[in-house]
Amino acid sequence: MRKLLVFAVAVCAAWNGAAQRVTLAREDIPRLPVDTLPTDRDEVRLVTFSDGTFRYIPTNRYIFDSAPAYTSNWDTLNLYAYRTLSLSDLPRVTDIEFSETHGFRSPAIGQVMSPYGRRNGRSHNGVDIRVEHGQPIFAAFDGVVRHSRWNSGGFGNIVIVRHPNGLETYYAHLSRRAVSAGDWVRAGQVVGYGGRTGRASAVHLHFEVRYADQSFDPERVVDFERGALRRRDFALNRDYFNINSRATEGLDGEEEPGQPLAAATSSDALPETSAVPGTPVPDPDPTPATPPPAAPEAPVHHKIVSGDTLLALAMRYGTPVAKLCEMNNITRTTTLRLGRNLRVK
Ligand SMILES: [Zn+2]
């Protein structure tokens, strides 16, 4: 068995080496699980790996894997994952819960140098927090890293974590990233280090909170100067979203990447300097892959179960709410009867 593992490592290393033709980054070195340790929280275990790294794994991963947030629109290559949804597809109010099991730690504690909102006629889709170069930046809540890449559009090194309540947090301009797409992270786990990569004139953390790609003011939920969560239950009003979240506007030419949707696809997918896209992740990837699109002529149906909403179906099947309504001859306010078969594709 040991021989087999060594062989597998050698093959992976050779493959990586051939594909990359540069020194292996730490994140590309194959990792083998070594030990599983308890933590101070029953629902989380710590798994250590042969390369000295570690990951937190939920004890009952089934609950996390089956959360609606992780069963659709999973895109590790692009910044934005909900391209089939528009702002008008979102409900007027979304109830966001920060349960005890999601944990919390402020990504950094410090002065907000630049708040969310309009700045010189442009959109600033996050907050800028003063940090030191190399300072550890923490995951705000438990979740799974959806995207960890170099972004040529201005974010520099960016990590995006998706949380079970559907929110995503963005950590940009990092000097170094400490996690890879697919990693489970705990609130307070280091996702990277403070820096000024990308379009940043000074060292700072650019931090965003998004739901279905749409940004809102992170200060609505986090007090960065005290490092405290403002509320456990948050009614996310559609009016809070910035209509230009995914639009072209940048912010005073300094750091905001905000590319047009079409352009974002190509430039987001540019190869990173430190890793080759498609480099196989050696340990089992816990994240569900986005299912391949069904052939257009094959309709897909979904039987309504308790808790289903049009939005959840839209997110799960990648079909806009408006399209769902049109295909089933219903409206956004139609009650979804249990057992009804809705066409979803
Ligand atoms: Zn910023």
Side-chain angles (χ1 to χ4, degrees):
M1 184 61 189
R2 177 170 291 263
K3 226 174 196 171
L4 204 80
L5 289 177
V6 169
F7 174 73
V9 168
V11 168
C12 284
W15 194 94
N16 279 346
Q20 225 170 309
R21 284 182 224 93
V22 291
T23 317
L24 279 179
R26 188 169 113 143
E27 64 202 40
D28 298 322
I29 298 171
R31 299 188 288 182
L32 300 170
V34 172
D35 207 354
T36 304
L37 306 165
T39 69
D40 57 347
R41 279 163 54 197
D42 284 346
E43 69 276 11
V44 180
R45 293 274 188 279
L46 180 67
V47 179
T48 60
F49 290 90
S50 52
D51 64 351
T53 61
F54 59 90
R55 285 167 76 170
Y56 290 101
I57 306 288
T59 313
N60 189 347
R61 207 155 87 191
Y62 169 77
I63 292 175
F64 282 83
D65 281 345
S66 61
Y70 298 120
T71 54
S72 71
N73 296 74
W74 191 258
D75 186 337
T76 60
L77 293 181
N78 296 294
L79 279 182
Y80 304 126
Y82 296 93
R83 290 153 188 275
T84 53
L85 285 178
S86 63
L87 192 52
S88 59
D89 288 329
L90 299 183
R92 203 177 56 76
V93 177
T94 306
D95 193 31
I96 300 288
E97 196 187 319
F98 299 104
S99 81
E100 298 289 342
T101 58
H102 299 171
F104 170 74
R105 179 157 181 177
S106 190
I109 298 180
Q111 186 197 346
V112 173
M113 299 159 61
S114 179
Y116 177 92
R118 307 287 292 176
R119 195 159 82 182
N120 300 339
R122 289 157 176 255
S123 303
H124 187 223
N125 285 309
V127 291
D128 293 346
I129 306 164
R130 191 181 299 283
V131 297
E132 301 284 326
H133 189 272
Q135 171 183 329
I137 304 298
F138 306 111
F141 311 99
D142 292 1
V144 183
V145 178
R146 176 176 63 79
H147 180 94
S148 171
R149 297 178 70 85
W150 171 263
N151 173 269
S152 55
F155 275 135
N157 274 317
I158 180 166
V159 168
I160 301 175
V161 181
R162 188 177 294 178
H163 309 288
N165 57 14
L167 290 185
E168 288 192 329
T169 47
Y170 286 44
Y171 312 79
H173 305 318
L174 303 172
S175 57
R176 192 156 67 79
R177 290 171 284 120
V179 289
S180 310
D183 284 354
W184 290 92
V185 293
R186 261 185 95 171
Q189 184 176 335
V190 175
V191 294
Y193 299 90
R196 50 169 295 185
T197 56
R199 232 171 15 252
S201 57
V203 173
H204 71 276
L205 171 68
H206 173 89
F207 177 72
E208 297 187 1
V209 185
R210 289 178 181 256
Y211 183 79
D213 289 348
Q214 308 291 341
S215 75
F216 61 92
D217 186 354
E219 291 195 83
R220 287 188 186 275
V221 289
V222 179
D223 178 340
F224 295 98
E225 300 199 353
R226 287 176 44 239
L229 190 63
R230 290 193 198 274
R231 45 182 59 86
R232 282 276 164 203
D233 247 314
F234 176 53
L236 178 53
N237 196 305
R238 197 166 60 195
D239 297 340
Y240 295 167
F241 292 119
N242 168 16
I243 196 159
N244 295 315
S245 275
R246 284 186 291 197
T248 326
E249 292 180 274
L251 82 157
D252 42 60
E254 184 218 331
E255 47 139 316
E256 180 68 24
Q259 304 143 345
L261 276 177
T265 314
S266 51
S267 62
D268 287 354
L270 282 178
E272 308 182 67
T273 48
S274 61
V276 171
T279 299
V281 181
D283 46 344
D285 189 344
T287 54
T290 310
E297 64 274 17
V300 177
H301 289 86
H302 174 94
K303 193 171 188 175
I304 298 299
V305 297
S306 173
D308 277 342
T309 63
L310 281 177
L311 177 70
L313 294 177
M315 290 171 83
R316 178 159 165 193
Y317 293 98
T319 307
V321 170
K323 185 91 203 263
L324 289 175
C325 291
E326 184 197 312
M327 287 191 303
N328 295 281
N329 198 20
I330 57 175
T331 69
R332 284 165 196 271
T333 53
T334 302
T335 305
L336 301 177
R337 270 183 299 103
L338 297 186
R340 175 171 178 177
N341 258 316
L342 277 195
R343 182 169 170 196
V344 289
K345 265 187 188 297

